[in-house]
Each structure stands twice: as structure tokens, then as C-alpha cells.
Amino acid sequence: MIFSFTKTDRMYIAHCKEGGEWQSGVMQDFQNLSMSPAAGVLNYGQGLFEGMKAQRAADGSIVLFRPECNARRMQDGARRLGVPVVPEEMFLDAIHQTVSENSRWVPPMGKGALYVRPLLMGSGEVLGVAPAPEYTFVVYGAPVGPYFKGGLKPISLKISDEFHRAAPGGSGGVKAIGNYAPGMVPSREAKRLGFAEIIYLDAVHHRYVEEVGAANFFCVKDGVVSTPELTGTILPGVTRASVIEIARDMGHEVREEKVDVSYALSADECFCAGTAAVIASIGSIQHGDRAVEYCDGQVGPVTRRIHDTLTAIQQRRIPDERGWTVAVE
Ligand SMILES: *Cc1c(COP(=O)(O)O)cnc(C)c1O
């Protein structure tokens, strides 16, 4: 089982008119959506998604990881795209119901997760470029294995000198659906050349590391952990925020700063972090003619400790002192 789509039994759906309140959502059998060809999301990409995991914990329960962070991030995105905000309580209720009614799809502990995908979109008809008159909020799930084949086995990445993911003032800081299609061809091209993903540099100076496909970037040098600061072009990952706290607790200095590509290439270890990939160790990075290998292509010690601690918290194998995990009834 890899990171691919398998349909599950049930899904959540709710509707809202522009300027109105969200109607209470309902659970229904997994099914296709029906909407006008003039729907705002189909014509102008007025849509947002989220991604989270429900997994089996050591105590047998099914747990979510910091779902309120996803609720708030979707609210930030909704404000940016002129979409009615989904109240946090409604978002969390939708997640809980979707996981609960698809619980037979949650794999055993350590064997994957039920990936939960909230979608919020302009489903009403609109011809001119403007916010849609009606919105739909959907939550569905799919069982998944690891995002990158090979689990923690270090991946090879290529820095793009040609493409950018986001520019200042744009929508890179929110999970807007329109941010992702432009990365597909660059990513496919990198994969064709044998790389797992592409690293994007900033669109202004072409010099600072931004992200790894749809995951956040970290590097470690002399025990100091660095990650690109959130300037609006970088997606504020829940995994990223959690790694920062975990690394500080381990005694590392953690800097959110501009990470110059030459600094990243001179680091001792690099990894990327996201819900889908969890922590993926980076074995090598290619930039132009230059290729750098980290830790002889092995998983670095700091990367391993952070990975092991994060996954242990997520699966409740160690005490969850921060209350990050939430059980689904
Ligand atoms: C979703 C996403 C991430 C990771 O965020 P998490 O909350 O950790 O899953 C990082 N970068 C991009 C571009 C993303 O879309």
C-alpha cells in the first residue's frame, strides 16, 4: 500500500450560501459530487484542501494529530480566497464523523493511516472572476502507506533553477488547490531523472530554500536546526511546527530563517517534514552540476531522533505531554 487513492465507505458534506451560515453537514455514502460546469472551483480554482492522518495508537484507539491546526489553517486559506470560513467546531466534527464511519479502513499501528482530506470549494455558478455564490465543504478519507517508497530510506532531491512554487503576495502560504498543478510537470520531470522530488528556491532572489514539493525543509549543521521562515510563500506545516518544538525540547537551537542554498548544501543533515511524508531523510541534493551527499547517504542521527520521537508521540507510544493527539470515538 502506497500513497494512492482507495475509496472508503462514507463522506461528509455541507453547503453554505455566500454571506449565509453553514447548514449542518451530513454523512452520506462515498459518491461523486454534482455541480454546474460554471462552478467557481472548476473555472477559477476557488478551493482549498487539507490533509491529516488518523492512525491506530498503541492503546488501540484511533487518533488524530493536532486537528485544530488544520481547522485554523483552512480558515486562514478561506479568508485569503474569499470563501466562507468553516467554524472550527464544525470542521472537527466533520473529521471525527468521517474517521469514525470509516474506521474499518484505519490500518494496524505502524502499517499506515487513514488519510483524511477536507475540501472547501466554490460550488455555485459564476461567470465573471469573482467569489462563487455557494460553497461546499466535503471530507473524505483514503487508507495510505508511506508517501515516499522506502520509508525513512534517504531520498535524492533536485533543486529547480527553472520553476518556483509561490511568490510574495500570492497564495503559497495557504493550501489553495491552484498552487499544486503548476508543480506537477517539474515534479514528474525530476522523478523521470531518478529524484524523489524537487526543491524550490524563492522567486525573488532564487537563492533561499522554500519547500520540497509539498513538504517543509529542514537542515542541521553543528547541532543547529534551521528551517525556512514563514514569509507568506511557505506553507505553515503542522509537522514543521511540531518538529520545531520537538527539536528545541531535545536541546537543539532551532532557527526559522532564510536558508541560503549554499548553507543547505554545506549542512550535516537535511530532511523534509509533512503529514504525508512524516519525516523523510534527504540523502543527496543536486544543484546544477553539483551533487552533495549527506551522512554517506544514510539517515542522520538528528533526523532519526526527531522522526522516532514524532512518530512515537503520534502513535502514543510515549506520553503525549503536549496533548497533540486526539482520540476518535
Ligand atoms: C501540506 C503541505 C505541507 C505540510 O504541511 P503539514 O501540515 O505538515 O502536512 C508543506 N508544504 C506544502 C506546500 C503543503 O501543501
Side-chain angles (χ1 to χ4, degrees):
M1 189 169 54
I2 51 161
F3 203 84
S4 62
F5 181 69
T6 305
K7 77 174 183 184
T8 52
D9 305 320
R10 304 277 288 164
M11 63 187 269
Y12 175 97
I13 188 160
H15 301 282
C16 177
K17 298 245 190 284
E18 201 193 11
E21 299 280 310
W22 282 96
Q23 297 171 356
S24 51
V26 295
M27 290 300 298
Q28 59 184 29
D29 285 345
F30 186 91
Q31 59 193 260
N32 290 348
L33 299 174
S34 157
M35 63 178 82
S36 165
V41 65
L42 298 179
N43 292 266
Y44 303 122
Q46 195 193 15
L48 295 153
F49 70 94
E50 269 300 331
M52 46 218 295
K53 279 177 175 172
Q55 43 190 320
R56 191 70 66 178
D59 57 11
S61 60
I62 296 172
V63 295
L64 297 162
F65 186 69
R66 310 183 74 179
E68 67 288 351
C69 297
N70 300 87
R72 290 173 201 153
R73 184 166 67 192
M74 185 166 252
Q75 292 184 334
D76 291 339
R79 288 183 198 101
R80 178 69 183 80
L81 297 194
V83 171
V85 164
V86 174
E88 185 172 320
E89 207 180 307
M90 176 180 162
F91 181 98
L92 296 175
D93 175 56
I95 303 303
H96 278 262
Q97 289 195 63
T98 304
V99 173
S100 178
E101 296 200 17
N102 290 302
S103 60
R104 75 180 181 100
W105 292 96
V106 180
M109 187 174 82
K111 295 280 192 289
L114 179 70
Y115 184 80
V116 182
R117 168 55 58 81
L119 270 181
L120 173 59
M121 67 201 126
S123 47
E125 297 171 324
V126 61
L127 194 58
V129 179
E134 197 179 316
Y135 294 83
T136 301
F137 176 53
V138 166
V139 183
Y140 65 89
V144 296
Y147 191 70
F148 292 115
K149 292 178 209 142
L152 195 57
K153 186 172 162 287
I155 55 174
S156 319
L157 301 174
K158 180 184 190 302
I159 294 174
S160 177
D161 279 318
E162 195 182 349
F163 300 105
H164 293 291
R165 196 189 80 86
S171 59
V174 299
K175 263 178 134 67
I177 60 171
N179 291 343
Y180 297 84
M184 291 175 186
V185 167
S187 176
R188 187 182 61 185
E189 178 62 9
K191 283 171 189 157
R192 201 182 57 80
L193 296 171
F195 300 97
E197 248 306 343
I198 209 163
I199 296 182
Y200 290 107
L201 300 182
D202 78 285
V204 176
H205 305 95
H206 317 287
R207 179 174 165 187
Y208 303 110
V209 176
E210 295 240 305
E211 297 206 51
V212 180
N216 293 114
F217 180 84
F218 284 84
C219 63
V220 187
K221 187 171 182 180
D222 301 324
V224 176
V225 177
S226 300
T227 192
E229 61 185 342
L230 301 177
T231 54
T233 55
I234 289 167
L235 199 285
V238 178
T239 318
R240 174 187 180 279
S242 307
V243 165
I244 290 171
E245 282 196 47
I246 288 169
R248 285 197 176 126
D249 270 12
M250 285 176 173
H252 292 282
E253 182 187 337
V254 180
R255 295 191 200 141
E256 294 180 69
E257 60 187 357
K258 289 194 164 41
V259 179
D260 198 295
V261 64
S262 62
Y263 181 83
L265 292 174
S266 74
D268 304 323
E269 298 177 37
C270 297
F271 62 91
C272 53
T275 296
V278 194
I279 304 287
S281 169
I282 299 172
S284 67
I285 297 179
Q286 171 110 22
H287 186 211
D289 299 335
R290 190 171 167 208
V292 171
E293 193 179 56
Y294 301 95
C295 301
D296 298 318
Q298 304 296 305
V299 179
V302 178
T303 303
R304 183 169 297 281
R305 274 189 71 199
I306 291 173
H307 169 273
D308 291 354
T309 305
L310 175 64
T311 52
I313 295 171
Q314 289 178 332
Q315 297 170 353
R316 291 188 167 171
R317 286 184 280 106
I318 59 173
D320 171 17
E321 280 154 8
R322 299 180 193 78
W324 280 349
T325 58
V326 180
V328 175
E329 297 305 320

